[in-house]
Each structure stands twice: as structure tokens, then as C-alpha cells.
């Protein structure tokens, strides 16, 4: 079942950005309250409401472009994924949300499990989004892809020293590894996908090996992992590709490089940011139109440039900076596994002493 996914080529320039809703913000598009002068706060007839754990600067340009193209207004709020799912559940049929957007298949899987999404029937999405980046029951679709990559100190290591996630468990890395905490979804998803490939026994050995090799206690985010490597505290760590891109933009001379561990048994672990239609969407037609547009070439090109992610739509070319990180073989196991096996991953990391 293992297939190869080779990311391909080319052009344009890039802004820096971060991805997930790391701190809750409430915002709303000015275009929303066209009625407000009349003292009404109800939803406009054709308006689309989005609950997003992606930050405002990573969604607003898209919604503005969509509205400019279609005339359909989009209102949004942003918060962390967990609270948004809780809110959707609590609001039930009363919710104004039509679309849910978040990062990580683990979060999308959770939303599906909590029953706040509905199946989507769209030949456009089936064409634009590869099978392994969508829910098997079509309750969510990936829109962007990020690689869970390695970052290393170029003063101490060369790419030849690095191979796979599994290899980082080898005693030769003792005192040289930095990791983000196991409490955050990105490494939970990585470990879940390792379980899917290796089973729990071997995965636990790998994770125990990582823990034994840590130079210092796990960090709260990927950027801190890179800063620790930059500062010489450790030599290699595991981070999402776009975080490295952001650091690279801030400091092109930085003593760090990105390594895509495609010799890992499954290829490189990729994850997604994605979108779904809420179960009680009042405007499911509009929601579908928006998500289909987000999967289109036009929007996918914007995504690639804005956050240095890989477009989920394989017909869209990479931006120059991301292309320069190299082609790689990605794990194509369906990402719903990252959600299904998340509880097992969390327990396994706990048993392995990974904080
Ligand atoms: Fe992120």
C-alpha cells in the first residue's frame, strides 16, 4: 500500500507566518455586519461563517479573495481547536458556523468523533485533494501539507549523519536530541503514525530511545526546539517544515538546516491543515463553495506562498524556498490514523517517560 508522493517544483516568493491558533483570538470580518446599522446581528442570507484555529493572517486573505470572486461574505472567529469543537458541540443546531478549519488530522479526527461535522459530497474536492489527505468518509479535507522534518546544527552535522525518525533512538544520539513536548498534537500524530506502521512494541522502543537521547527537557513549541539547536544545546530536533521556513526568513545566515527524513520506514510524516462543513451548517452550499475554492489552484498557490506549506493540490507548484528543501517521499497512509491512534500514542509516550 505504500506509494510514493513526490512533491514538485517552482517559483514565487514568500512571507513568514505561523500556523496554528496558539493563543485564542476573537475576530470578525468587517464585511459581516452589513446589517449592523439596522441593529440586527443575524447572519446574512448567503453569508458563510467559519470557526478557525488557523490564525487570522492565514485565513483572512483567502476569505477576502473568495468574497471578491463570488460576492459571498465570510465571517470568522479564531480560537484553539479544542475550544472550537467544544463550542460547536454546545451550540448544536443553534450554531452559526458553516465551516470548521484547523491544523492537524488529529484535530479534524476529533471534530468528526465529537459529531460536529457532516459528510461532503464533492467531485471537485475528490479531484483536487489526494485520498490520503482526506477523511475516508469525506467529513474533512486537507488543504495544506506540512512535513514533520528534522532541523540540525550545520556546524556539527551534515545531512549524511541523518536518516530517519527511528534512527534518532540510537544511543549515538545520546545528549544530542531536542524535542517538543508530547502534550501537543504534532508529536502525538507523529507517534500515532509510527504505531500505525510499526505497532506499539517497536514504537515504544523508539520513543524510549528518543527520551534517553534528550539533551534537555522537551520544549513547549517547535520554534524553541530550533532555538535550542541554534544555541548549541543540542544538535538535531523534529519540527514542522514551515517553522524552519519562518526562521530562515528571519535569519538567512542561521546555522540550521532542514532535513526530510525520507529513509524513515514510512517516508516523511506529513500532516495537514484542513477544512470541514459543520453538522448544523445553515449554509452548507456556501460552505462547500468556499472549501472547493480553497482547494483550487488559485487559492492553493496563495497557501503555498503565505506559510511555506506544501499545497495539498498536487497540480500546484511549490514556492522557491520550499522547493529548495528538496523532493521527498511522504508517508501516504491515510491521516485519519493519526486521530484513531492518538489515544494510544498519548499513553505510549507517557509509558516511555516522554513529557
Ligand atoms: Fe503550527
Amino acid at each position: 500500500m505504500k506509494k510514493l508522493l513526490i512533491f514538485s517544483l517552482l517559483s514565487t516568493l514568500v512571507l513568514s507566518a505561523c500556523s496554528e491558533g496558539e493563543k485564542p483570538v476573537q475576530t470578525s470580518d468587517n464585511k459581516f455586519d452589513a446589517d449592523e446599522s439596522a441593529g440586527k446581528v443575524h447572519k446574512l442570507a448567503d453569508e458563510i461563517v467559519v470557526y478557525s484555529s488557523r490564525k487570522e493572517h492565514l485565513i483572512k486573505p483567502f476569505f477576502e479573495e473568495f468574497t471578491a470572486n463570488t460576492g459571498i461574505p465570510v465571517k470568522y472567529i479564531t480560537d484553539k481547536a479544542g475550544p472550537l469543537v467544544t463550542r460547536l458541540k454546545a451550540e448544536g443546531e443553534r450554531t452559526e458556523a458553516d465551516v470548521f478549519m484547523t491544523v492537524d488530522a488529529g484535530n479534524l479526527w476529533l471534530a468528526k468523533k465529537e459529531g460536529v461535522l457532516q459528510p461532503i459530497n464533492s467531485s471537485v474536492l475528490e479531484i483536487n485533494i489526494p485520498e490520503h489527505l482526506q477523511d475516508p468518509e469525506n467529513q474533512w479535507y486537507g488543504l495544506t501539507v506540512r512535513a514533520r522534518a528534522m532541523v540540525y546544527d550545520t556546524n556539527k552535522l551534515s545531512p549524511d549523519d541523518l536518516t530517519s525518525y527511528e534512527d534518532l533512538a540510537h544511543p549515538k544520539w545520546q545528549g544530542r536530541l531536542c524535542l517538543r513536548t508530547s502534550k501537543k498534537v504534532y508529536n502525538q500524530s507523529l507517534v500515532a503514525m509510527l504505531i500505525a506502521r510499526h505497532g506499539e512494541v517497536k514504537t515504544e522502543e523508539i520513543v524510549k530511545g528518543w527520551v534517553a537521547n534528550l539533551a534537555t527537557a522537551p520544549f513547549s513549541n517547535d520554534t524553541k526546539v530550533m532555538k535550542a539547536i541554534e544555541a548549541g544545546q543540542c544538535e538535531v530536533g523534529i519540527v514542522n517544515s514551515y517553522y524552519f521556513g519562518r526562521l530562515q526568513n528571519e535569519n538567512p545566515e542561521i546555522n540550521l538546516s532542514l532535513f526530510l527524513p525520507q529513509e524513515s520506514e514510512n517516508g516523511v510524516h506529513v500532516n495537514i491543515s484542513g477544512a470541514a462543513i459543520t453538522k448544523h451548517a445553515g449554509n452548507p452550499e456556501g460552505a462547500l463553495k468556499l472549501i472547493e475554492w480553497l482547494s483550487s489552484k488559485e487559492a492553493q498557490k496563495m497557501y503555498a506562498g503565505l506559510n511555506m506549506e506544501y499545497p495539498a493540490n498536487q497540480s500546484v507548484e511549490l514556492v522557491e524556498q520550499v522547493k529548495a528543501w528538496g523532493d521527498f517521499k511522504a508517508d501516504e497512509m491515510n491521516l485519519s490514523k493519526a486521530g484513531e491512534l492518538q489515544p494510544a500514542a498519548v499513553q505510549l509516550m507517557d509509558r516511555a517517560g516522554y513529557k
Side-chain angles (χ1 to χ4, degrees):
M1 269 306 282
K2 186 157 92 179
K3 287 182 287 174
L4 300 190
L5 175 66
I6 306 294
F7 286 103
S8 58
L9 322 178
L10 235 82
S11 72
T12 67
L13 252 164
V14 151
L15 294 169
S16 75
C18 170
S19 154
E20 70 217 290
E22 296 199 331
K23 78 175 179 297
V25 198
Q26 298 260 344
T27 48
S28 88
D29 195 328
N30 295 335
K31 291 185 184 73
F32 170 42
D33 291 309
D35 273 20
E36 220 170 32
S37 55
K40 295 173 186 167
V41 245
H42 66 76
K43 198 169 151 179
L44 299 176
D46 66 342
E47 180 179 69
I48 302 161
V49 174
V50 180
Y51 284 6
S52 171
S53 85
R54 299 221 83 182
K55 287 183 175 176
E56 182 174 21
H57 68 275
L58 291 174
I59 50 174
K60 195 176 178 199
F62 294 91
F63 298 158
E64 286 176 348
E65 193 62 31
F66 175 78
T67 301
N69 287 347
T70 61
I72 302 171
V74 179
K75 176 197 172 191
Y76 58 91
I77 61 159
T78 65
D79 199 345
K80 289 185 177 179
L84 287 177
V85 170
T86 304
R87 179 168 172 171
L88 282 168
K89 244 186 129 171
E91 289 174 342
E93 292 179 15
R94 293 175 294 110
T95 193
E96 289 214 330
D98 302 300
V99 173
F100 175 61
M101 293 178 74
T102 189
V103 296
D104 206 285
N107 288 332
L108 290 159
W109 177 86
L110 176 75
K112 180 187 175 189
K113 182 173 151 270
E114 293 296 327
V116 298
L117 309 181
Q118 62 171 286
I120 298 175
N121 185 359
S122 164
S123 53
V124 172
L125 289 171
E126 287 304 317
I127 290 166
N128 287 347
I129 307 300
E131 195 65 32
H132 69 288
L133 304 179
Q134 47 171 285
D135 174 48
E137 287 157 351
N138 298 332
Q139 292 206 18
W140 48 259
Y141 284 83
L143 293 173
T144 65
V145 175
R146 55 279 298 285
R148 198 90 186 121
M150 293 182 194
V151 163
Y152 64 93
D153 183 342
T154 50
N155 294 328
K156 293 173 183 157
L157 297 174
S158 82
D160 294 340
D161 297 314
L162 299 165
T163 54
S164 64
Y165 307 113
E166 291 86 350
D167 178 65
L168 293 180
H170 191 280
K172 73 183 174 197
W173 293 110
Q174 199 172 354
R176 302 162 79 187
L177 176 66
C178 278
L179 289 177
R180 184 184 191 161
T181 174
S182 67
K183 309 290 181 257
K184 297 287 167 67
V185 72
Y186 294 160
N187 282 345
Q188 292 171 0
S189 289
L190 170 62
V191 170
M193 294 304 265
L194 288 174
I195 293 173
R197 289 292 182 188
H198 295 300
E200 290 209 22
V201 173
K202 187 172 171 196
T203 303
E204 190 167 337
E205 276 170 33
I206 295 165
V207 175
K208 278 181 176 161
W210 291 350
V211 172
N213 290 339
L214 285 177
T216 181
F219 294 92
S220 59
N221 64 47
D222 284 3
T223 301
K224 286 179 183 167
V225 169
M226 292 188 293
K227 293 283 183 189
I229 300 168
E230 184 190 7
Q233 236 182 324
C234 40
E235 297 173 26
V236 60
I238 297 174
V239 305
N240 277 358
S241 46
Y242 55 88
Y243 287 114
F244 173 71
R246 184 175 62 179
L247 204 62
Q248 203 173 31
N249 284 340
E250 283 168 11
N251 178 10
E253 305 303 316
I254 198 161
N255 61 314
L256 300 181
S257 255
L258 191 86
F259 178 82
L260 293 157
Q262 57 179 336
E263 286 175 52
S264 302
E265 200 157 311
N266 328 315
V268 176
H269 170 56
V270 294
N271 213 308
I272 53 172
S273 77
I277 301 179
T278 61
K279 179 163 186 183
H280 298 293
N283 184 7
E285 299 83 12
L288 180 59
K289 216 178 256 185
L290 175 62
I291 297 172
E292 286 182 343
W293 182 78
L294 290 170
S295 79
S296 71
K297 273 193 176 185
E298 182 188 1
Q300 289 280 303
K301 268 185 205 163
M302 282 175 69
Y303 264 128
L306 204 59
N307 197 34
M308 289 157 289
E309 291 181 83
Y310 299 90
N313 183 331
Q314 301 290 292
S315 70
V316 176
E317 291 163 344
L318 303 182
V319 295
E320 205 54 53
Q321 182 182 11
V322 173
K323 187 187 154 201
W325 298 339
D327 286 346
F328 65 92
K329 178 183 76 169
D331 186 353
E332 283 208 327
M333 185 178 285
N334 190 285
L335 273 172
S336 60
K337 282 279 171 205
E340 275 168 44
L341 291 168
Q342 200 181 80
V346 169
Q347 286 171 21
L348 186 151
M349 290 189 285
D350 188 49
R351 287 200 301 278
Y354 180 10
K355 301 293 180 198

